[in-house]
Amino acid sequence: MTTRRTRLIAALDTRDPAEATRRANAVSPHVDAIKLGLEFAYAAGFEAVAKVAEGRELFLDLKLHDIPNTVGAAVGSLNRLSPAMLTIHASGGSAMVAAARQACDDSFPEGKRPLLLAVTVLTSLDDAALAETGVPGGARAQVLRLAELALRNGADGLVCSAHELTALRKEFGERPVLVTPGIRPRGADAGDQKRIMTPTEARQAGADWIVVGRPITKAADPAAAAAAIAAELVAP
């Protein structure tokens, strides 16, 4: 049986560079990486991303989704940020995923290539929401479909709901890196997330990384909240 260490990413969701820096300084002793995404990058710019992430493992969550040439060029332009992980949308298709992987290989120094993670189905979407977009069969079937496409075309791993972790491990084994947002400690407000689990449940289901945002950043003491989740991940 594989012994897995599940690691913690703190999502620093804000538009303010000073607030992002404050949050990063508070939680960094207790987490394995920080996440900066669309909200911060659009508001503050990529130089601010680089500044906040300096000296830290960066999960750059941009969820790139466009024609293959554009996504490949975008990935190549991100090499100055040295992210540890970078997200694209698996639903962009085989050629787009392959273009992103090729850009990672070509544009980053040897040993510095980020993990390319393909987003399968957003944790804010349930079966009914997917059906509205014309996707039949429910979230689990769509996650498995997109996972196979992404991994076949060079993705290192997947971003998925904790509810699909067991099925993904059964189908693809230990090879893919599985990153799970929508994690809420027991008793926390679910917010706009629909397919959620606790940190312990996600660890037991096979997550390599979990992403936690508001339960940390909106806590009265973010550092203590992060430390508590980190402790939960290593509890027996």
Side-chain angles (χ1 to χ4, degrees):
M1 182 176 181
T2 300
T3 301
R4 176 182 293 100
R5 180 193 169 202
T6 301
R7 302 184 182 193
L8 174 60
I9 301 169
L12 308 182
D13 299 319
T14 179
R15 301 178 185 180
D16 180 4
E19 178 64 15
T21 299
R22 187 188 69 78
R23 291 177 180 181
N25 288 339
V27 306
S28 286
H30 310 291
V31 305
D32 299 286
I34 60 168
K35 179 178 89 74
L36 294 170
L38 294 173
E39 180 182 6
F40 186 75
Y42 285 165
F46 286 109
E47 296 311 314
V49 170
K51 186 174 181 180
V52 174
E54 186 174 3
R56 301 180 172 100
E57 291 285 288
L58 172 62
F59 176 32
L60 187 58
D61 188 24
L62 300 180
K63 298 183 178 72
L64 299 173
H65 189 173
D66 210 309
I67 64 173
N69 185 67
T70 297
V71 168
V75 169
S77 73
L78 296 170
N79 61 0
R80 71 188 190 280
L81 300 178
S82 299
M85 293 170 274
L86 176 65
T87 57
I88 60 175
H89 266 293
S91 55
S94 297
M96 193 205 81
V97 175
R101 175 55 190 264
Q102 189 65 53
C104 283
D105 291 340
D106 292 345
S107 302
F108 288 82
E110 185 175 355
K112 298 292 186 180
R113 180 180 72 78
L115 291 174
L116 183 65
L117 302 173
V119 177
T120 52
V121 174
L122 297 172
T123 52
S124 59
L125 298 174
D126 57 14
D127 292 354
L130 278 175
E132 286 183 335
T133 69
V135 177
R140 179 167 297 191
Q142 180 69 350
V143 166
L144 290 171
R145 185 181 302 117
L146 292 175
E148 191 281 328
L149 178 155
L151 295 173
R152 175 166 39 88
N153 286 283
D156 297 294
L158 308 162
V159 180
C160 62
S161 158
H163 288 268
E164 284 84 51
L165 285 168
T166 300
L168 287 167
R169 286 295 179 210
K170 181 179 179 180
E171 184 71 19
F172 302 105
E174 298 300 314
R175 178 172 72 90
V177 176
L178 300 185
V179 179
T180 306
I183 299 300
R184 293 289 184 268
R186 195 168 301 280
D189 182 11
D192 57 358
Q193 306 285 3
K194 294 182 179 178
R195 296 173 8 261
I196 64 175
M197 276 191 181
T198 68
T200 295
E201 289 168 338
R203 181 194 69 188
Q204 293 172 343
D208 292 299
W209 297 80
I210 64 169
V211 183
V212 183
R214 284 163 283 185
I216 291 175
T217 60
K218 300 299 184 183
D221 185 341
I229 294 170
E232 184 176 340
L233 291 175
V234 298

